[in-house]
Amino acid sequence: ALHGLRGFVGQAPHSRPRSVRLEAQSSLSVRKKIPVVLCPAQFGTAEDYDELKVNLEARGFVLYPAPLSRLDWLRIVPSTLTKEFFTAELRPKKTLGFFYEALDQALAQVDADFGPQEPVAFLGHSIGGWVARSYIGEVLGPVAQRVRSLVTLGTPHQAPPAESPVAILDQTRGLLTYINEQFPAGSPLNSSVVTCVAGCGTKTPPSMEEMMDGLGEKLWNQTQNRSTLLEEVVALASYLPLSGSTFGVEGDGLIPVDTALMEGCGSVVLDDCNHADFVPTPGESIRLPKSYQWYGSEGFLDAWVKFL
């Protein structure tokens, strides 16, 4: 199901952080393209999106991933030792400061290549989608008119239902609750320029009994080089804390469809689309089989790039 785009928004100036040496890609070809700042998935790095960068450039976009390293992600650890973590009252600006700094650097590079007045699109993958929302709201808020659009890919925007027994767990320890309260539907952007993309790569079986049916065939698909059983088990474990439901839930293998959409915003739901084509490790990410199509795969790109 593909539901169109909606309106527009506003963004702001902003003080650039630590000094970073920037080299402008001063070419007319760059200036004719649209700059896109990418907020990676949890533990993701710029290198994980190299193929996406190439494919977007072929479509007229220049991708600027937040230059995060694996070590940068460790800077979130001190927040897990605070009172706010245990009381689920973490706040983005303090907890995600390392991510904000990386986004500052990405925007600074856009300024060097295009100039500080150039409209810029934001693209968020997984939790990067709600990090983008908080960054736009907390950092760019006063000058929101620079952001032309926000597209999120498999982002867990919604907390589990309040009546769900898993609601008390709150995996984000207050971060998502705060973002949804302060910046609903992508505010301060107009919801018409916010598009949420969800995938239907893995639907969990309606019952444990049906999950065990055909177990031998599910263990390993030699043709696709994949394990259907493993994908269903991972989906069950991920869908439950995010949606409060386990069986009969559609999603991208990690994020349920309903969790990835926001009321009032544009939405794109992609059949047979999975969460990512990589699994982060302390070293290089593990690349998943080509049969494991994700949001950035050639077959899905054109369904959402039009909204950037």
Side-chain angles (χ1 to χ4, degrees):
L2 179 61
H3 310 194
L5 161 79
R6 326 222 169 181
F8 173 28
V9 100
Q11 235 59 28
H14 159 209
S15 57
R16 297 297 179 218
R18 52 193 183 189
S19 62
V20 180
R21 184 170 184 176
L22 304 172
E23 296 182 6
Q25 303 176 35
S26 54
S27 72
L28 291 176
S29 61
V30 170
R31 292 182 177 277
K32 290 178 182 177
K33 296 180 183 293
I34 295 172
V36 180
V37 171
L38 170 69
C39 302
Q42 189 170 21
F43 304 123
T45 67
E47 292 73 24
D48 293 325
Y49 299 90
D50 282 348
E51 185 174 342
L52 176 63
K53 185 173 184 176
V54 172
N55 290 335
L56 284 178
E57 185 161 9
R59 289 167 169 79
F61 301 92
V62 183
L63 191 66
Y64 293 84
L68 293 163
S69 70
R70 302 279 191 240
L71 290 178
D72 285 331
W73 286 99
L74 295 179
R75 293 171 60 187
I76 204 170
V77 172
S79 294
T80 67
L81 306 175
T82 63
K83 171 190 171 186
E84 290 78 10
F85 177 85
F86 292 101
T87 58
E89 296 177 318
L90 289 179
R91 296 294 177 259
K93 188 173 289 187
K94 183 176 180 180
T95 307
L96 303 172
F98 70 98
F99 209 136
Y100 281 14
E101 290 172 12
L103 289 171
D104 284 339
Q105 292 180 51
L107 268 180
Q109 188 62 60
V110 171
D111 291 352
D113 292 346
F114 290 87
Q117 304 305 317
E118 183 74 14
V120 60
F122 271 74
L123 178 63
H125 179 212
S126 196
I127 71 163
W130 52 252
V131 174
R133 291 170 56 198
S134 64
Y135 180 81
I136 291 169
E138 292 194 316
V139 179
L140 301 183
V143 278
Q145 295 199 302
R146 187 180 181 186
V147 176
R148 56 179 284 138
S149 60
L150 167 63
V151 173
T152 64
L153 310 175
T155 292
H157 288 296
Q158 306 297 333
E163 66 275 9
S164 167
V166 301
I168 194 172
L169 297 178
D170 187 2
Q171 295 185 100
T172 71
R173 307 313 297 154
L175 290 173
L176 184 56
T177 297
Y178 177 85
I179 292 167
N180 282 339
E181 289 175 351
Q182 299 297 315
F183 314 114
S187 173
L189 301 180
N190 188 304
S191 62
S192 65
V193 298
V194 180
T195 303
C196 304
V197 186
C200 291
T202 303
K203 180 176 181 179
T204 54
S207 67
M208 181 60 73
E209 183 180 8
E210 293 200 29
M211 183 174 178
M212 302 309 290
D213 284 347
L215 187 60
E217 297 176 5
K218 288 183 174 183
L219 280 175
W220 189 254
N221 185 316
Q222 192 66 43
T223 304
Q224 293 193 327
N225 199 30
R226 292 164 56 179
S227 170
T228 302
L229 179 62
L230 177 60
E231 291 172 23
E232 289 180 351
V233 169
V234 170
L236 280 169
S238 185
Y239 294 172
L240 175 59
L242 290 173
S243 69
S245 302
T246 50
F247 296 107
V249 179
E250 279 193 310
D252 64 12
L254 288 182
I255 311 300
V257 170
D258 290 345
T259 303
L261 305 180
M262 287 194 292
E263 185 176 356
C265 298
S267 63
V268 178
V269 179
L270 302 171
D271 290 333
D272 200 29
C273 179
N274 301 289
H275 190 69
D277 69 340
F278 66 90
V279 177
T281 73
E284 291 187 12
S285 291
I286 298 171
R287 287 290 164 184
L288 297 174
K290 286 295 184 182
S291 62
Y292 197 77
Q293 299 285 288
W294 79 294
Y295 300 101
S297 296
E298 277 284 354
F300 295 130
L301 273 175
D302 292 328
W304 55 264
V305 294
K306 64 186 80 173
F307 301 117
L308 285 172

